[in-house]
Amino acid sequence: MPPDQPPIPREVLPPGWGPLDCCDDRFEYRHSQPPLELVADCTAADRSHPGLGLCRCWELRYRYFLTDQTITEVIGRVSTRRAAVKGALACMERVHDTVSTGDGLLEVRDVLESVPLPDLVPDGLSQSSS
């Protein structure tokens, strides 16, 4: 796929979503209302569970805007670009289906953090159970 071609075709995107940026190791999509961006970045897998043997993974994040600042939160990490595309599309669909333009940032956060991601990469920094 050419680097300037979005990984999710426009005709598949839920209403209100559009591509923002796309290259080999990153893609971004923007939602109009509420203003929100989804970002997928290929990154080092240094925080993943060491038993997986991954050197790279894809981190999905969302970004929202307050009056004087931009806030970025991690949704999760997945093992492949294909999983990142599927996860981003699942996030977009969930926002479209459940978030209204008047909902606040807490509702958006709750919705995005409840999306099941395919090929989720476990966090190697989690505390062990007591």
Side-chain angles (χ1 to χ4, degrees), residues 73-85:
E73 301 283 344
V74 174
I75 299 168
R77 289 175 161 218
V78 295
S79 58
T80 64
R81 179 183 171 98
R82 171 174 267 152
V85 169

Side-chain angles (χ1 to χ4, degrees), residues 3 10 22 28 37 40 45-46 60 63 65 70 73-74 76 79 81 93-94 96 98 102 105 109 114 117 129:
R10 286 186 184 269
C22 181
E28 299 179 42
E37 293 177 359
D46 55 350
L60 292 170
R63 188 169 37 217
F65 310 94
T70 301
E73 301 283 344
V74 174
S79 58
R81 179 183 171 98
E93 289 169 347
R94 185 73 61 94
H96 173 71
T98 59
L105 297 174
R109 183 190 68 202
S114 69
L117 298 176
S129 57

Side-chain angles (χ1 to χ4, degrees), residues 7 10 21 24 33-34 39 52 70 78-79 81-82 85 89-90 94 102 108-109 115 121 123 126 129:
R10 286 186 184 269
D21 188 24
D24 287 339
Q33 282 299 326
V39 179
L52 296 174
T70 301
V78 295
S79 58
R81 179 183 171 98
R82 171 174 267 152
V85 169
L89 187 56
R94 185 73 61 94
V108 171
R109 183 190 68 202
V115 174
V121 174
D123 186 350
S126 301
S129 57

Side-chain angles (χ1 to χ4, degrees), residues 33-35 95 98-108 111:
Q33 282 299 326
V95 166
T98 59
V99 176
S100 71
T101 57
D103 282 343
L105 297 174
L106 290 177
E107 289 85 0
V108 171
V111 165

